[in-house]
Amino acid sequence: MNRDYYVNMFSPPPLGVTQFTGDIRYIEKLVREYEFQRNTCNSITVTDTILDDPQFIDLRNFILNFVHRYTEKVCRSKQVIELKQSWANITDTNEIHPTHMHPNSFISGVMFVKSDSHSPPLMIENPWRPYYYSVDLYSGDKDSKLPPNEFESSLAPVYQITPDEGKIVLFPSPTPHFVPESHSENDRITLAFNTYPTRPFGSKKDVTYVH
């Protein structure tokens, strides 16, 4: 018997996922009252501070509480985090949202406000995959006799998130992500946001202090 064993080293920070417990149809109604403009391949609200509006106070507090639970558990910090930009997107039939990141932000997030079984998922790209190996051995052979890959989550090029209504997903802002083409006959509505730590933060001893 061989004495092989395998060690998972580094991996991207985990996603944070929770479910909004309020009235999602009410949130949809409010979002549809805003003015939208064309984005690269879909539509985006003209305002980028939608969660600052008083009618969203309960949702804003729900999101901020989730962000702080995430940073306390994952980042091991009780640093106060603020919501900065927030906006809504509408993706119609045959539209996409191309690969992008969220610069000048710490933790970003998305809430699925309206979707159906044919709405496209959120695709999170694995930014580390190009650096794993110098060659790619994957042949596309679906009939392989190999056992299931226990390291698939680390090696996969993308991670797919179903757009269940009310689901909120947090991710590090530099994480590349996209939405593939929509084949639904109905529009897909999301609410997105960026965050940043309140100052001061960091460590003077480690020369990471920001004030």
Side-chain angles (χ1 to χ4, degrees):
M1 177 181 291
N2 68 57
R3 302 180 65 181
D4 301 352
Y5 69 98
Y6 303 90
V7 178
N8 274 318
M9 298 188 301
F10 313 113
S11 62
L15 303 176
V17 183
T18 195
Q19 186 70 28
F20 178 57
T21 55
D23 186 348
I24 196 65
R25 294 282 72 85
Y26 176 66
I27 299 298
E28 178 191 352
K29 176 180 177 295
L30 292 179
V31 168
R32 289 191 183 278
E33 294 174 355
Y34 283 80
E35 181 183 357
F36 282 77
Q37 61 188 355
R38 289 301 296 170
N39 199 3
T40 305
C41 297
N42 60 359
S43 298
I44 187 173
T45 48
V46 173
T47 180
D48 66 350
T49 56
I50 191 170
L51 287 175
D52 290 351
D53 291 347
Q55 62 263 38
F56 286 107
I57 184 64
D58 290 340
L59 176 58
R60 177 186 175 88
N61 289 338
F62 186 93
I63 289 173
L64 275 174
N65 286 337
F66 178 40
V67 168
H68 285 104
R69 293 197 304 273
Y70 177 94
T71 54
E72 183 172 340
K73 184 175 183 65
V74 176
C75 305
R76 312 302 298 169
S77 172
K78 290 184 176 291
Q79 180 71 34
V80 176
I81 309 297
E82 295 180 325
L83 278 178
K84 295 301 185 180
Q85 296 79 27
S86 55
W87 63 96
N89 298 295
I90 293 181
T91 303
D92 284 313
T93 308
N94 299 327
E95 293 185 336
I96 67 170
H97 201 157
T99 299
H100 63 286
M101 300 177 290
H102 292 215
N104 297 334
S105 175
F106 173 45
I107 298 293
S108 294
V110 61
M111 174 179 173
F112 301 107
V113 176
K114 181 179 178 292
S115 60
D116 59 34
S117 59
H118 299 289
S119 296
L122 172 64
M123 306 294 281
I124 305 289
E125 293 187 352
N126 183 349
W128 298 106
R129 191 172 186 271
Y131 306 102
Y132 287 159
Y133 301 108
S134 60
V135 298
D136 191 342
L137 300 178
Y138 179 66
S139 65
D141 181 10
K142 300 298 184 181
D143 298 322
S144 173
K145 302 300 183 182
L146 293 172
N149 186 357
E150 63 185 291
F151 305 108
E152 185 173 4
S153 62
S154 297
L155 298 175
V158 294
Y159 183 80
Q160 178 174 305
I161 300 172
T162 56
D164 304 316
E165 291 184 345
K167 180 188 289 183
I168 300 174
V169 180
L170 301 180
F171 51 89
S173 299
T175 306
H177 54 286
F178 67 96
V179 178
E181 182 177 351
S182 175
H183 299 295
S184 173
E185 296 180 355
N186 302 306
D187 55 10
R188 174 188 187 271
I189 301 177
T190 57
L191 197 157
F193 52 90
N194 290 332
T195 71
Y196 208 77
T198 56
R199 294 184 295 178
F201 61 87
S203 165
K204 290 185 177 181
K205 177 177 179 293
D206 296 333
V207 201
T208 60
Y209 189 68
V210 176
H211 61 88

